[in-house]
């Protein structure tokens, strides 16, 4: 998502960033500038130092922007359009994915994609694969799905069922199958506990 210039000019949104960038003022000026660097700029080592910082600074600002009310709306539109691609897991039925970083630090790791259905993280095979993960950070998918609960997939992911010549293999369950079974057991245990507490309550009143 392209960061609104108004957002990037608001000092409140930039709080605490100055201490992390050596050329903060020059980098911010470059971020807000509409001028593209020319060939002479790209051969100037001092300019390149500021340019690298400006790129990192923009990434950190972008990470903050996409969890703002306006930024979340922009990302929602992109998610619904499938801008970030679909889950590479075949049994997730082309579920749209969300961008995520494995670190909030700049230059720590490349952007990954998070599938809301199987809740796994994958490497993208698109133009986003070289993007710094700090542009999105660790928290974005969770904040996004909490902000738009209607976009959380209702159907659980379909587990892969191992077979040999068409016959299921007994006692071999996938991680997703075990997770679904554990969820069913947890719900059953919870119902039993509620029933026991209800009976105990009626007995004490008698």
């Amino acid at each position: 998502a392209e960061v609104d210039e108004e957002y990037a000019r608001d000092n409140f949104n930039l709080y605490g960033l100055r201490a992390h960038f050596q050329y903060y003022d020059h980098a911010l000026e470059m971020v807000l500038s509409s001028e593209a660097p020319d060939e002479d700029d790209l051969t100037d080592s001092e300019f390149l130092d500021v340019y690298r910082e400006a790129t990192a600074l923009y990434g950190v600002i972008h990470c903050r922007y996409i969890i703002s009310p306006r930024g979340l709306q922009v990302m929602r539109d992109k998610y619904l359009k499938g801008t970030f691609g679909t889950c590479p897991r075949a049994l997730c039925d082309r579920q749209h994915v969300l961008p995520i970083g494995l670190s909030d630090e700049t230059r720590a790791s490349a952007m990954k994609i998070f599938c809301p259905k199987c809740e796994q993280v994958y490497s993208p095979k698109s133009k986003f694969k070289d993007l710094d993960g700090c542009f999105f950070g660790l928290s974005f998918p969770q904040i996004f799905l909490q902000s738009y609960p209607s976009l959380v997939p209702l159907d659980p992911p379909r587990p892969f069922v191992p077979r040999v010549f068409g016959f299921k293999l007994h006692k071999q369950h996938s991680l997703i199958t075990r997770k679904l079974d554990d969820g069913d057991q947890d719900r059953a245990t919870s119902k039993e506990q509620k029933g026991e507490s209800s009976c105990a309550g009626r007995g004490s009143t008698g």
Side-chain angles (χ1 to χ4, degrees):
E2 183 177 351
V3 178
D4 288 342
E5 183 176 339
E6 182 180 350
Y7 182 91
R9 289 187 180 279
D10 188 336
N11 288 330
F12 177 79
N13 299 324
L14 310 179
Y15 179 78
L17 296 184
R18 179 182 294 275
H20 298 282
F21 295 92
Q22 182 178 356
Y23 308 109
Y24 176 81
D25 290 323
H26 294 299
L28 181 59
E29 182 180 349
M30 192 175 290
V31 167
L32 297 174
S33 174
S34 58
E35 296 181 8
D38 56 31
E39 292 184 4
D40 292 335
D41 290 332
L42 296 177
T43 58
D44 184 335
S45 60
E46 186 176 338
F47 175 88
L48 289 176
D49 287 340
V50 177
Y51 185 78
R52 280 189 286 268
E53 282 227 332
T55 302
L57 176 60
Y58 182 83
V60 176
I61 295 173
H62 180 273
C63 184
R64 294 184 176 189
Y65 173 70
I66 59 174
I67 58 174
S68 69
R70 172 59 184 154
L72 282 168
Q73 291 177 5
V74 173
M75 295 299 282
R76 177 182 179 276
D77 292 341
K78 289 182 176 293
Y79 172 74
L80 292 175
K81 292 176 182 177
T83 300
F84 304 108
T86 56
C87 182
R89 182 177 179 273
L91 295 179
C92 280
D93 302 316
R94 299 186 62 78
Q95 168 68 45
H96 287 181
V97 295
L98 291 164
I100 188 174
L102 299 184
S103 172
D104 293 324
E105 299 296 325
T106 60
R107 306 186 186 95
S109 67
M111 169 194 150
K112 307 299 180 185
I113 51 175
F114 171 82
C115 175
K117 179 169 282 191
C118 66
E119 298 182 329
Q120 296 299 307
V121 174
Y122 302 92
S123 294
K125 296 181 179 180
S126 62
K127 60 184 179 180
F128 302 110
K129 64 181 180 181
D130 296 322
L131 195 59
D132 195 324
C134 79
F135 275 63
F136 304 95
L138 277 165
S139 304
F140 172 69
Q142 290 71 36
I143 294 174
F144 179 86
L145 294 172
Q146 287 177 1
S147 301
Y148 300 108
S150 63
L151 296 181
V152 176
L154 296 178
D155 297 327
R158 291 188 292 123
F160 171 72
V161 180
R163 297 173 184 269
V164 173
F165 302 120
F167 296 98
K168 292 183 181 179
L169 297 180
H170 294 291
K171 298 182 180 179
Q172 291 194 23
H173 300 291
S174 70
L175 177 63
I176 291 177
T177 301
R178 292 198 297 269
K179 185 176 179 181
L180 293 173
D181 289 343
D182 290 344
D184 291 339
Q185 290 178 1
D186 290 343
R187 283 190 290 271
T189 302
S190 177
K191 288 181 180 179
E192 289 178 3
Q193 291 175 345
K194 288 181 179 178
E196 290 174 358
S197 61
S198 177
C199 291
R202 287 196 296 270
S204 61
T205 54

